[in-house]
Structure formats: C-alpha cells, structure tokens
Coordinates of all heavy atoms in Angstrom, one line a residue:
M1372 N 0.8 -1.2 0.0 CA 0.0 0.0 0.0 C 0.9 1.3 0.0 O 0.5 2.2 -0.6 CB -0.8 0.0 1.3 CG -1.9 -1.0 1.3 SD -3.5 -0.3 1.1 CE -4.5 -1.8 1.3
N1373 N 1.9 1.3 0.8 CA 2.7 2.5 0.8 C 3.9 2.4 0.0 O 5.0 2.8 0.3 CB 3.1 2.8 2.2 CG 3.5 1.6 3.0 OD1 3.7 0.6 2.4 ND2 3.6 1.7 4.3
E1374 N 3.8 1.8 -1.2 CA 4.9 1.6 -2.0 C 5.3 2.9 -2.8 O 6.4 3.0 -3.1 CB 4.7 0.5 -3.0 CG 3.8 0.8 -4.2 CD 2.4 0.5 -3.9 OE1 2.1 0.1 -2.8 OE2 1.5 0.8 -4.7
M1375 N 4.4 3.8 -2.9 CA 4.7 4.9 -3.8 C 4.9 6.2 -3.0 O 5.7 7.0 -3.3 CB 3.6 5.1 -4.8 CG 4.0 6.1 -5.9 SD 2.7 6.2 -7.1 CE 2.9 4.8 -8.1
N1376 N 4.1 6.5 -2.0 CA 4.1 7.8 -1.4 C 5.1 8.0 -0.4 O 5.2 9.1 0.2 CB 2.7 8.1 -0.8 CG 1.7 8.4 -1.9 OD1 2.0 8.5 -3.0 ND2 0.4 8.5 -1.5
Q1377 N 6.0 7.1 -0.2 CA 7.0 7.4 0.8 C 8.3 7.8 0.1 O 9.4 7.8 0.7 CB 7.3 6.1 1.6 CG 6.1 5.8 2.5 CD 6.4 4.7 3.5 OE1 7.2 3.8 3.1 NE2 5.9 4.8 4.6
G1378 N 8.2 8.1 -1.2 CA 9.5 8.4 -1.9 C 10.1 9.7 -1.6 O 10.2 10.5 -2.5
D1379 N 10.5 9.9 -0.4 CA 11.1 11.2 -0.1 C 12.5 11.0 0.3 O 13.2 12.0 0.7 CB 10.3 11.9 1.0 CG 10.2 13.4 0.6 OD1 9.4 13.7 -0.3 OD2 10.9 14.2 1.2
Q1380 N 13.1 9.9 0.2 CA 14.5 9.7 0.4 C 15.3 10.2 -0.8 O 14.7 10.2 -1.9 CB 14.8 8.3 0.7 CG 14.8 8.0 2.2 CD 13.4 7.8 2.7 OE1 12.7 7.0 2.3 NE2 13.0 8.6 3.7
P1381 N 16.5 10.4 -0.7 CA 17.4 10.8 -1.8 C 17.3 9.6 -2.8 O 17.2 8.5 -2.4 CB 18.8 10.9 -1.2 CG 18.6 11.1 0.2 CD 17.3 10.4 0.6
P1382 N 17.4 9.9 -4.1 CA 17.5 8.9 -5.1 C 18.6 7.9 -4.8 O 19.7 8.3 -4.5 CB 17.8 9.6 -6.4 CG 17.4 11.0 -6.1 CD 17.6 11.3 -4.6
Q1383 N 18.2 6.6 -4.9 CA 19.2 5.6 -4.5 C 20.0 5.1 -5.6 O 21.2 5.1 -5.6 CB 18.5 4.5 -3.7 CG 18.0 5.1 -2.4 CD 17.2 4.1 -1.6 OE1 16.8 3.1 -2.2 NE2 16.9 4.4 -0.4
S1384 N 19.4 4.5 -6.6 CA 20.2 3.9 -7.6 C 20.0 4.6 -9.0 O 20.8 5.5 -9.4 CB 19.9 2.5 -7.7 OG 18.6 2.2 -7.8
E1385 N 18.9 4.3 -9.6 CA 18.8 4.8 -11.0 C 17.7 5.8 -11.3 O 18.0 7.0 -11.4 CB 18.7 3.6 -11.8 CG 17.8 2.6 -11.1 CD 17.9 1.2 -11.6 OE1 18.8 0.5 -11.2 OE2 17.1 0.9 -12.5
S1386 N 16.5 5.3 -11.3 CA 15.5 6.1 -11.9 C 14.4 6.7 -11.0 O 13.3 6.6 -11.3 CB 14.9 5.3 -13.0 OG 14.3 4.2 -12.4
I1387 N 14.8 7.2 -9.9 CA 13.8 7.8 -9.0 C 14.0 9.3 -9.2 O 13.9 10.1 -8.2 CB 13.9 7.4 -7.6 CG1 14.1 5.8 -7.6 CG2 12.7 7.7 -6.8 CD1 14.1 5.2 -6.2
A1388 N 14.3 9.8 -10.4 CA 14.5 11.2 -10.6 C 13.3 12.0 -10.4 O 13.3 13.2 -10.0 CB 15.1 11.5 -11.9
I1389 N 12.1 11.5 -10.6 CA 10.9 12.2 -10.4 C 10.0 11.4 -9.5 O 9.8 10.2 -9.7 CB 10.1 12.4 -11.7 CG1 11.0 13.2 -12.7 CG2 8.8 13.0 -11.5 CD1 10.3 13.4 -14.1
R1390 N 9.6 12.0 -8.4 CA 8.8 11.3 -7.4 C 7.3 11.6 -7.6 O 7.0 12.7 -8.1 CB 9.3 11.7 -6.0 CG 10.7 11.3 -5.8 CD 11.2 11.8 -4.5 NE 12.7 11.8 -4.6 CZ 13.5 12.3 -3.8 NH1 13.0 12.9 -2.7 NH2 14.8 12.3 -3.9
Q1391 N 6.5 10.7 -7.2 CA 5.1 10.9 -7.4 C 4.3 10.8 -6.1 O 4.6 10.0 -5.3 CB 4.6 9.8 -8.4 CG 5.2 9.8 -9.8 CD 4.5 8.9 -10.7 OE1 3.8 8.0 -10.3 NE2 4.7 9.1 -12.0
Y1392 N 3.3 11.6 -6.0 CA 2.5 11.7 -4.8 C 1.0 11.7 -5.3 O 0.5 12.6 -5.8 CB 2.8 13.0 -4.0 CG 4.3 13.2 -3.7 CD1 5.2 13.7 -4.6 CD2 4.7 12.8 -2.4 CE1 6.5 13.8 -4.3 CE2 6.1 12.9 -2.1 CZ 7.0 13.4 -3.0 OH 8.3 13.5 -2.7
R1393 N 0.4 10.6 -5.0 CA -0.9 10.4 -5.6 C -2.0 10.8 -4.6 O -1.9 10.7 -3.4 CB -1.1 8.9 -5.9 CG -2.4 8.5 -6.6 CD -2.4 7.1 -7.0 NE -1.4 6.8 -8.0 CZ -1.6 6.9 -9.3 NH1 -2.7 7.4 -9.7 NH2 -0.6 6.6 -10.1
A1394 N -3.1 11.4 -5.2 CA -4.3 11.7 -4.4 C -5.4 11.5 -5.3 O -5.3 11.4 -6.5 CB -4.2 13.2 -4.0
P1395 N -6.6 11.4 -4.7 CA -7.8 11.2 -5.6 C -7.9 12.4 -6.6 O -7.9 13.5 -6.3 CB -9.0 11.3 -4.6 CG -8.4 10.9 -3.3 CD -7.0 11.4 -3.3
G1396 N -7.9 12.0 -7.9 CA -8.0 13.0 -9.0 C -6.8 13.6 -9.5 O -6.8 14.3 -10.5
I1397 N -5.6 13.2 -8.9 CA -4.4 13.9 -9.4 C -3.2 13.1 -8.9 O -3.2 12.4 -7.9 CB -4.3 15.3 -8.8 CG1 -3.2 16.1 -9.5 CG2 -4.1 15.3 -7.3 CD1 -3.3 17.7 -9.3
V1398 N -2.1 13.2 -9.7 CA -0.8 12.7 -9.3 C 0.1 13.9 -9.4 O 0.3 14.5 -10.4 CB -0.3 11.6 -10.2 CG1 1.1 11.2 -9.8 CG2 -1.2 10.4 -10.1
V1399 N 0.7 14.3 -8.2 CA 1.7 15.3 -8.2 C 3.0 14.8 -8.4 O 3.4 13.7 -7.8 CB 1.6 16.1 -6.8 CG1 2.7 17.1 -6.6 CG2 0.2 16.8 -6.7
T1400 N 3.9 15.4 -9.2 CA 5.2 15.0 -9.4 C 6.2 16.0 -8.9 O 5.9 17.2 -8.9 CB 5.5 14.7 -10.9 OG1 5.2 15.9 -11.6 CG2 4.6 13.6 -11.4
W1401 N 7.3 15.5 -8.4 CA 8.4 16.4 -7.9 C 9.7 15.9 -8.4 O 10.1 14.8 -8.2 CB 8.3 16.5 -6.4 CG 9.4 17.5 -5.9 CD1 9.5 18.8 -6.2 CD2 10.4 17.2 -4.9 NE1 10.6 19.3 -5.5 CE2 11.1 18.4 -4.7 CE3 10.8 16.0 -4.3 CZ2 12.2 18.4 -3.8 CZ3 11.8 16.1 -3.4 CH2 12.5 17.3 -3.2
E1402 N 10.5 16.8 -9.0 CA 11.8 16.4 -9.6 C 12.8 17.2 -8.7 O 13.1 18.4 -9.0 CB 11.9 16.8 -11.0 CG 13.1 16.3 -11.7 CD 13.1 16.6 -13.2 OE1 12.1 17.0 -13.8 OE2 14.1 16.3 -13.9
P1403 N 13.4 16.5 -7.8 CA 14.3 17.2 -6.8 C 15.4 18.0 -7.5 O 15.8 19.1 -7.1 CB 14.9 16.1 -6.0 CG 14.0 15.0 -6.1 CD 13.3 15.1 -7.5
A1404 N 16.0 17.5 -8.6 CA 17.1 18.2 -9.3 C 16.7 19.5 -9.8 O 17.5 20.4 -10.0 CB 17.6 17.3 -10.4
R1405 N 15.4 19.7 -10.1 CA 15.0 21.0 -10.6 C 14.6 22.0 -9.5 O 14.5 23.2 -9.7 CB 13.7 20.9 -11.4 CG 13.9 20.3 -12.8 CD 12.6 20.2 -13.6 NE 12.9 19.7 -14.9 CZ 13.2 20.4 -15.9 NH1 13.4 21.7 -15.8 NH2 13.4 19.9 -17.1
C1406 N 14.4 21.5 -8.3 CA 13.9 22.4 -7.2 C 14.9 23.5 -6.8 O 16.1 23.2 -6.5 CB 13.6 21.6 -6.0 SG 12.9 22.6 -4.6
R1407 N 14.5 24.7 -6.9 CA 15.4 25.9 -6.5 C 15.0 26.4 -5.2 O 15.5 27.5 -4.8 CB 15.3 27.0 -7.6 CG 15.8 26.5 -8.9 CD 15.7 27.6 -9.9 NE 16.0 27.1 -11.3 CZ 15.5 27.7 -12.4 NH1 14.8 28.7 -12.3 NH2 15.8 27.1 -13.5
H1408 N 14.2 25.7 -4.5 CA 13.8 26.1 -3.1 C 13.2 27.6 -3.1 O 13.5 28.3 -2.2 CB 15.0 26.0 -2.2 CG 15.5 24.6 -2.3 ND1 14.8 23.5 -1.8 CD2 16.7 24.1 -2.8 CE1 15.6 22.4 -2.0 NE2 16.7 22.7 -2.6
A1409 N 12.5 27.9 -4.1 CA 11.9 29.2 -4.1 C 10.7 29.3 -3.2 O 10.3 30.4 -2.8 CB 11.4 29.5 -5.6
A1410 N 10.3 28.2 -2.7 CA 9.2 28.1 -1.6 C 7.9 28.6 -2.0 O 7.1 28.9 -1.2 CB 9.7 28.8 -0.4
E1411 N 7.6 28.8 -3.3 CA 6.3 29.2 -3.8 C 5.3 28.2 -3.3 O 4.2 28.5 -2.9 CB 6.2 29.4 -5.3 CG 6.9 30.6 -5.8 CD 6.3 31.9 -5.4 OE1 5.1 31.9 -5.1 OE2 7.0 32.9 -5.3
C1412 N 5.7 26.9 -3.3 CA 4.7 25.9 -2.9 C 4.5 26.0 -1.4 O 3.3 25.8 -1.0 CB 5.3 24.5 -3.3 SG 7.0 24.2 -2.7
I1413 N 5.5 26.2 -0.7 CA 5.4 26.2 0.8 C 4.5 27.4 1.2 O 3.7 27.3 2.1 CB 6.8 26.2 1.5 CG1 7.4 24.9 1.2 CG2 6.7 26.4 3.0 CD1 8.9 24.9 1.5
R1414 N 4.8 28.5 0.6 CA 3.9 29.7 0.9 C 2.5 29.5 0.4 O 1.6 29.9 1.1 CB 4.5 30.9 0.1 CG 5.6 31.6 0.9 CD 5.8 33.0 0.3 NE 6.5 32.9 -1.0 CZ 7.8 32.9 -1.1 NH1 8.6 33.0 0.0 NH2 8.4 32.8 -2.3
G1415 N 2.3 28.8 -0.7 CA 1.0 28.7 -1.2 C 0.1 27.7 -0.5 O -1.1 27.9 -0.2
L1416 N 0.7 26.6 -0.1 CA -0.1 25.5 0.6 C 0.8 24.9 1.7 O 1.3 23.8 1.5 CB -0.5 24.4 -0.4 CG -1.7 24.7 -1.3 CD1 -1.9 23.6 -2.3 CD2 -3.0 24.9 -0.4
P1417 N 1.0 25.6 2.8 CA 1.9 25.1 3.8 C 1.4 23.8 4.4 O 2.3 23.0 4.9 CB 2.0 26.2 4.8 CG 0.8 27.1 4.5 CD 0.5 26.9 3.1
Q1418 N 0.2 23.5 4.3 CA -0.3 22.3 4.9 C 0.0 21.1 4.0 O -0.1 19.9 4.4 CB -1.9 22.4 5.2 CG -2.7 22.4 3.9 CD -2.9 23.8 3.3 OE1 -2.1 24.6 3.4 NE2 -4.1 24.0 2.7
V1419 N 0.3 21.4 2.8 CA 0.7 20.3 1.8 C 2.2 20.2 1.7 O 2.7 19.0 1.7 CB 0.1 20.6 0.4 CG1 0.6 19.6 -0.6 CG2 -1.5 20.5 0.5
F1420 N 2.9 21.3 1.5 CA 4.3 21.3 1.3 C 5.0 21.7 2.6 O 5.0 22.9 3.0 CB 4.7 22.2 0.1 CG 4.0 21.9 -1.1 CD1 2.8 22.6 -1.5 CD2 4.5 20.9 -2.0 CE1 2.2 22.2 -2.7 CE2 3.8 20.6 -3.2 CZ 2.7 21.2 -3.5
N1421 N 5.6 20.7 3.2 CA 6.2 21.0 4.5 C 7.6 20.2 4.6 O 7.6 19.0 4.7 CB 5.3 20.5 5.6 CG 5.9 20.8 7.0 OD1 7.1 21.2 7.2 ND2 5.0 20.7 8.0
R1422 N 8.6 21.0 4.5 CA 10.0 20.3 4.5 C 10.3 19.7 5.8 O 11.3 19.0 5.9 CB 11.0 21.4 4.1 CG 11.0 21.6 2.6 CD 12.1 22.5 2.1 NE 12.0 23.8 2.6 CZ 12.6 24.9 1.9 NH1 13.3 24.7 0.9 NH2 12.4 26.1 2.4
D1423 N 9.6 20.0 6.8 CA 9.9 19.4 8.2 C 9.4 18.0 8.4 O 9.6 17.4 9.4 CB 9.4 20.3 9.3 CG 10.2 21.7 9.2 OD1 11.3 21.7 8.8 OD2 9.6 22.7 9.7
V1424 N 8.6 17.5 7.5 CA 8.0 16.2 7.7 C 8.3 15.3 6.4 O 8.7 15.8 5.4 CB 6.5 16.2 7.9 CG1 6.2 17.1 9.1 CG2 5.8 16.8 6.7
R1425 N 8.2 14.0 6.6 CA 8.4 13.1 5.5 C 7.1 12.2 5.3 O 6.7 11.7 6.4 CB 9.6 12.2 5.7 CG 10.9 13.0 5.7 CD 11.2 13.5 4.3 NE 12.4 14.2 4.2 CZ 12.6 15.5 4.4 NH1 11.5 16.3 4.6 NH2 13.7 16.1 4.3
P1426 N 6.6 12.1 4.2 CA 7.0 12.7 2.9 C 6.7 14.2 3.0 O 5.7 14.6 3.7 CB 6.3 12.0 1.8 CG 5.1 11.5 2.5 CD 5.5 11.1 3.9
W1427 N 7.5 15.1 2.3 CA 7.3 16.5 2.5 C 6.1 17.0 1.7 O 5.7 18.2 1.9 CB 8.5 17.2 2.1 CG 8.8 17.5 0.7 CD1 9.2 16.6 -0.3 CD2 8.6 18.7 0.0 NE1 9.3 17.2 -1.5 CE2 8.9 18.5 -1.4 CE3 8.2 20.0 0.3 CZ2 8.9 19.5 -2.4 CZ3 8.1 21.0 -0.6 CH2 8.4 20.7 -2.0
I1428 N 5.5 16.2 0.8 CA 4.3 16.6 0.1 C 3.2 15.7 0.6 O 3.3 14.5 0.5 CB 4.5 16.4 -1.4 CG1 5.6 17.4 -1.9 CG2 3.2 16.8 -2.1 CD1 5.9 17.2 -3.4
D1429 N 2.1 16.3 1.1 CA 0.9 15.5 1.5 C -0.3 16.0 0.7 O -0.9 17.0 1.1 CB 0.7 15.7 3.0 CG -0.5 14.9 3.5 OD1 -1.2 14.3 2.7 OD2 -0.7 14.8 4.8
T1430 N -0.5 15.3 -0.3 CA -1.5 15.7 -1.3 C -3.0 15.6 -0.7 O -3.9 16.1 -1.3 CB -1.5 14.9 -2.6 OG1 -1.4 13.5 -2.2 CG2 -0.2 15.3 -3.4
S1431 N -3.1 14.9 0.4 CA -4.4 14.7 1.0 C -5.0 16.0 1.6 O -6.1 16.1 2.0 CB -4.4 13.6 2.0 OG -3.7 14.0 3.2
R1432 N -4.1 17.0 1.8 CA -4.5 18.2 2.5 C -5.0 19.4 1.7 O -5.0 20.5 2.2 CB -3.3 18.6 3.4 CG -3.0 17.6 4.5 CD -1.7 18.0 5.2 NE -1.6 17.1 6.4 CZ -2.0 17.5 7.6 NH1 -2.5 18.7 7.8 NH2 -1.8 16.7 8.7
A1433 N -5.3 19.1 0.5 CA -5.8 20.2 -0.4 C -6.6 19.6 -1.5 O -6.5 18.4 -1.8 CB -4.7 21.0 -1.0
S1434 N -7.4 20.4 -2.1 CA -8.2 19.9 -3.3 C -7.4 19.9 -4.5 O -6.3 20.5 -4.6 CB -9.4 20.9 -3.5 OG -8.9 22.1 -4.0
V1435 N -7.9 19.2 -5.5 CA -7.1 19.2 -6.8 C -6.9 20.6 -7.3 O -5.8 21.0 -7.8 CB -7.9 18.3 -7.8 CG1 -7.3 18.5 -9.2 CG2 -7.9 16.9 -7.4
D1436 N -8.0 21.4 -7.3 CA -7.8 22.8 -7.8 C -6.8 23.6 -7.0 O -6.0 24.4 -7.6 CB -9.2 23.5 -7.7 CG -10.1 23.1 -8.8 OD1 -9.7 22.4 -9.8 OD2 -11.4 23.3 -8.7
E1437 N -6.8 23.4 -5.7 CA -5.7 24.1 -4.9 C -4.3 23.7 -5.3 O -3.4 24.5 -5.4 CB -6.0 23.9 -3.4 CG -7.2 24.6 -2.9 CD -7.6 24.2 -1.5 OE1 -7.4 23.0 -1.1 OE2 -8.1 25.1 -0.7
L1438 N -4.2 22.4 -5.4 CA -2.9 21.8 -5.8 C -2.4 22.4 -7.2 O -1.3 22.9 -7.3 CB -2.9 20.3 -5.9 CG -3.0 19.6 -4.5 CD1 -3.4 18.1 -4.7 CD2 -1.8 19.7 -3.7
V1439 N -3.3 22.4 -8.1 CA -3.0 22.9 -9.5 C -2.6 24.3 -9.4 O -1.6 24.7 -10.0 CB -4.2 22.6 -10.4 CG1 -4.1 23.5 -11.7 CG2 -4.4 21.1 -10.7
E1440 N -3.4 25.1 -8.7 CA -3.1 26.5 -8.6 C -1.7 26.8 -8.1 O -1.0 27.7 -8.6 CB -4.2 27.2 -7.8 CG -4.0 28.7 -7.7 CD -4.9 29.4 -6.7 OE1 -5.9 28.8 -6.4 OE2 -4.5 30.5 -6.2
V1441 N -1.4 26.2 -7.0 CA -0.1 26.4 -6.4 C 1.1 25.8 -7.2 O 2.1 26.4 -7.4 CB -0.1 26.0 -4.9 CG1 1.3 26.0 -4.3 CG2 -1.0 26.9 -4.1
I1442 N 0.9 24.6 -7.7 CA 2.0 24.0 -8.5 C 2.3 24.8 -9.7 O 3.4 24.9 -10.1 CB 1.6 22.5 -8.8 CG1 1.6 21.7 -7.5 CG2 2.5 21.9 -9.8 CD1 1.0 20.3 -7.6
D1443 N 1.3 25.4 -10.3 CA 1.5 26.3 -11.5 C 2.4 27.4 -11.2 O 3.0 28.0 -12.1 CB 0.2 26.8 -12.0 CG -0.6 25.8 -12.9 OD1 0.1 24.8 -13.3 OD2 -1.8 26.0 -13.1
R1444 N 2.6 27.8 -9.9 CA 3.5 28.9 -9.5 C 5.0 28.4 -9.4 O 5.8 29.2 -9.2 CB 3.1 29.5 -8.2 CG 1.7 30.1 -8.3 CD 1.5 30.8 -6.9 NE 0.1 30.8 -6.6 CZ -0.4 30.9 -5.3 NH1 0.5 31.0 -4.3 NH2 -1.6 30.8 -5.1
C1445 N 5.2 27.1 -9.4 CA 6.6 26.7 -9.2 C 7.5 27.2 -10.4 O 7.2 26.8 -11.5 CB 6.6 25.1 -9.1 SG 8.3 24.4 -9.0
P1446 N 8.4 28.0 -10.1 CA 9.2 28.6 -11.2 C 10.1 27.7 -11.9 O 10.5 28.0 -13.0 CB 10.0 29.8 -10.4 CG 10.1 29.3 -9.0 CD 8.9 28.5 -8.7
S1447 N 10.5 26.6 -11.3 CA 11.5 25.8 -11.9 C 10.9 24.5 -12.6 O 11.7 23.8 -13.1 CB 12.5 25.3 -10.8 OG 11.8 24.4 -9.9
Y1448 N 9.6 24.4 -12.4 CA 9.0 23.2 -12.9 C 9.4 21.9 -12.2 O 9.3 20.8 -12.7 CB 9.1 23.0 -14.5 CG 8.2 24.0 -15.2 CD1 8.6 25.3 -15.5 CD2 7.0 23.5 -15.8 CE1 7.8 26.1 -16.2 CE2 6.2 24.4 -16.5 CZ 6.6 25.7 -16.7 OH 5.8 26.5 -17.4
A1449 N 9.9 22.1 -11.0 CA 10.2 20.9 -10.2 C 8.9 20.2 -9.9 O 8.8 19.0 -9.8 CB 10.9 21.3 -8.9
L1450 N 7.9 21.0 -9.7 CA 6.5 20.4 -9.4 C 5.7 20.3 -10.7 O 5.8 21.2 -11.5 CB 5.8 21.3 -8.4 CG 6.2 21.2 -7.0 CD1 5.6 22.3 -6.1 CD2 5.9 19.8 -6.4
G1451 N 5.0 19.2 -10.8 CA 4.1 19.0 -11.9 C 2.9 18.2 -11.5 O 2.8 17.8 -10.3
Y1452 N 2.0 18.0 -12.4 CA 0.9 17.1 -12.0 C 0.2 16.6 -13.3 O 0.4 17.1 -14.4 CB -0.2 18.0 -11.3 CG -0.6 19.2 -12.0 CD1 -1.5 19.2 -13.0 CD2 0.0 20.5 -11.6 CE1 -1.9 20.4 -13.7 CE2 -0.4 21.6 -12.3 CZ -1.3 21.6 -13.3 OH -1.7 22.7 -14.0
H1453 N -0.5 15.5 -13.0 CA -1.4 14.9 -14.0 C -2.7 14.7 -13.4 O -2.8 13.9 -12.5 CB -0.8 13.5 -14.5 CG 0.5 13.6 -15.2 ND1 0.6 13.6 -16.6 CD2 1.7 13.8 -14.7 CE1 1.9 13.7 -16.9 NE2 2.6 13.8 -15.8
A1454 N -3.7 15.5 -13.7 CA -5.0 15.4 -13.1 C -5.9 14.5 -14.0 O -5.7 14.4 -15.2 CB -5.6 16.8 -13.0
D1455 N -6.8 13.9 -13.3 CA -7.7 13.0 -14.0 C -8.6 13.7 -15.0 O -9.1 13.1 -16.0 CB -8.6 12.3 -13.0 CG -7.9 11.2 -12.2 OD1 -6.7 11.0 -12.4 OD2 -8.5 10.6 -11.3
D1456 N -8.8 15.0 -14.8 CA -9.6 15.7 -15.7 C -8.8 16.2 -17.0 O -9.3 17.0 -17.8 CB -10.3 16.9 -15.0 CG -9.3 17.9 -14.5 OD1 -8.1 17.9 -14.8 OD2 -9.7 18.8 -13.7
G1457 N -7.6 15.8 -17.1 CA -6.8 16.1 -18.3 C -5.8 17.3 -18.1 O -4.9 17.5 -18.9
R1458 N -5.9 18.0 -17.0 CA -4.9 19.1 -16.7 C -3.6 18.4 -16.4 O -3.5 17.4 -15.8 CB -5.4 20.0 -15.6 CG -6.5 20.9 -15.9 CD -6.9 21.7 -14.8 NE -7.7 20.9 -13.8 CZ -8.1 21.4 -12.6 NH1 -7.9 22.7 -12.3 NH2 -8.8 20.6 -11.8
M1459 N -2.6 19.1 -16.9 CA -1.2 18.5 -16.7 C -0.2 19.6 -16.7 O -0.4 20.7 -17.4 CB -1.0 17.5 -17.9 CG 0.4 17.4 -18.3 SD 0.6 16.4 -19.7 CE -0.5 15.0 -19.5
R1460 N 0.9 19.4 -16.0 CA 2.0 20.3 -16.1 C 3.3 19.5 -16.1 O 3.5 18.7 -15.2 CB 2.0 21.2 -14.9 CG 3.1 22.3 -15.0 CD 3.2 23.1 -13.7 NE 3.7 24.5 -13.9 CZ 4.7 25.0 -13.2 NH1 5.2 24.3 -12.3 NH2 5.1 26.2 -13.5
T1461 N 4.1 19.7 -17.1 CA 5.4 19.1 -17.2 C 6.4 20.1 -17.6 O 6.0 21.2 -18.1 CB 5.4 18.0 -18.3 OG1 5.0 18.5 -19.6 CG2 4.4 16.8 -18.0
P1462 N 7.7 19.9 -17.4 CA 8.7 20.9 -17.7 C 8.7 21.2 -19.2 O 8.5 20.3 -20.0 CB 10.0 20.2 -17.3 CG 9.6 19.2 -16.3 CD 8.2 18.7 -16.7
P1463 N 8.8 22.5 -19.5 CA 8.9 22.9 -20.9 C 10.1 22.2 -21.6 O 11.1 22.1 -21.1 CB 9.0 24.4 -20.9 CG 9.5 24.7 -19.5 CD 9.1 23.6 -18.6
G1464 N 9.8 21.8 -22.8 CA 10.9 21.2 -23.6 C 11.1 19.7 -23.4 O 11.9 19.0 -24.1
E1465 N 10.5 19.2 -22.3 CA 10.6 17.8 -22.1 C 9.5 16.9 -22.7 O 9.5 15.7 -22.6 CB 10.7 17.5 -20.6 CG 12.0 18.1 -20.0 CD 12.4 17.3 -18.8 OE1 11.6 16.5 -18.3 OE2 13.5 17.6 -18.4
G1466 N 8.5 17.6 -23.3 CA 7.5 16.9 -23.9 C 6.5 16.3 -22.9 O 6.6 16.4 -21.7
D1467 N 5.6 15.5 -23.5 CA 4.6 14.9 -22.7 C 5.1 13.6 -22.2 O 5.5 12.7 -22.9 CB 3.4 14.7 -23.6 CG 2.3 13.9 -22.9 OD1 2.3 13.9 -21.7 OD2 1.4 13.4 -23.6
T1468 N 5.0 13.4 -20.9 CA 5.5 12.2 -20.2 C 4.3 11.3 -19.9 O 4.4 10.3 -19.2 CB 6.2 12.5 -19.0 OG1 5.4 13.2 -18.1 CG2 7.5 13.3 -19.2
S1469 N 3.2 11.6 -20.5 CA 2.0 10.8 -20.1 C 1.8 9.5 -20.9 O 0.9 8.7 -20.7 CB 0.7 11.6 -20.3 OG 0.5 11.9 -21.7
A1470 N 2.6 9.3 -22.0 CA 2.5 8.1 -22.8 C 2.8 6.9 -21.9 O 3.5 6.9 -20.9 CB 3.5 8.1 -23.9
T1471 N 2.2 5.8 -22.3 CA 2.2 4.6 -21.6 C 1.5 4.6 -20.3 O 1.6 5.2 -19.3 CB 3.6 4.0 -21.3 OG1 4.3 4.9 -20.4 CG2 4.3 3.8 -22.6
Ligands
SF4_2689 S1 8.0 26.1 -5.7 FE1 9.1 24.6 -6.9 S2 11.2 25.3 -6.9 FE2 10.2 26.3 -5.2 S3 10.5 24.9 -3.4 FE3 8.5 24.4 -4.3 S4 9.1 22.7 -5.7 FE4 11.0 23.8 -5.2

C-alpha cells in the first residue's frame, strides 16, 4: 500500500529522478534536481508542502484545484501534475510524459 508515497528519500540507484504523490483525482510529481527552493509551494499551501516532515508533500491536505493553482507557480517546474480531468504540467521542452 505504501509503495509509492514514501518516496522522499534521496534517489538511491537509478531512476527515481521524479517522485510521485498520488491523491484522488491527481498525481503530483516532484523532480528534486529542478527544485530551486523558491518556496512558492510552501507559501501557497503550507499544509501540503512541509519540508519538516516526510514525505514532504501531503496531497491529501488540499483539493485538486488548490494543488493545481499552487503547483502552477513553481518557477523551476520541479513540481508538476497529471490530473484525472486532463490538466497537466510538465517541464517545458521535455514533452509529454503521459505516454504509456
Ligand atoms: S516552488 Fe518549486 S522550486 Fe520552489 S520549493 Fe517548491 S518545488 Fe521547489
């Protein structure tokens, strides 16, 4: 059950470059290498984004619309999402990662 949402440790071997945090209606993604610690996310939804706890993203504490609104402010595109309603945010130039 908790195979996916505990991914807040440093990447260990190969391909955990993007971590996923699932909630009803949305999957939030976070790419640590892109994070510039601008804290837009923490300011916008401190109950969701909290660096003092693990995992540091708790998607259960906000609605899909709230998550989308704040994640759209992430200047580095470290944060992204794939919502069930089709909304999506991925880093520019990396194309759509939704295939498969
Ligand atoms: S807003 Fe984006 S760049 Fe800033 S701390 Fe949050 S994830 Fe990192």
Side-chain angles (χ1 to χ4, degrees):
M1372 292 249 186
N1373 42 11
E1374 74 273 358
M1375 192 179 280
N1376 283 352
Q1377 291 189 330
D1379 223 75
Q1380 266 77 60
Q1383 289 174 351
S1384 47
E1385 37 198 87
S1386 60
I1387 316 185
I1389 299 178
R1390 300 177 200 169
Q1391 296 189 343
Y1392 304 83
R1393 185 174 293 277
I1397 193 167
V1398 176
V1399 171
T1400 58
W1401 182 57
E1402 189 173 353
R1405 285 183 178 274
C1406 181
R1407 293 179 193 157
H1408 307 290
E1411 288 294 332
C1412 54
I1413 295 166
R1414 273 195 289 270
L1416 280 175
Q1418 70 273 33
V1419 171
F1420 301 98
N1421 183 346
R1422 284 189 287 207
D1423 294 332
V1424 300
R1425 292 292 180 269
W1427 82 283
I1428 299 175
D1429 184 351
T1430 50
S1431 71
R1432 292 173 169 263
S1434 69
V1435 170
D1436 285 343
E1437 289 170 325
L1438 290 167
V1439 164
E1440 182 190 334
V1441 168
I1442 290 170
D1443 280 344
R1444 295 186 215 156
C1445 174
S1447 68
Y1448 283 82
L1450 286 169
Y1452 54 80
H1453 296 259
D1455 288 357
D1456 62 12
R1458 287 179 286 178
M1459 146 185 325
R1460 188 186 205 230
T1461 57
E1465 290 208 351
D1467 176 17
T1468 57
S1469 67
T1471 65

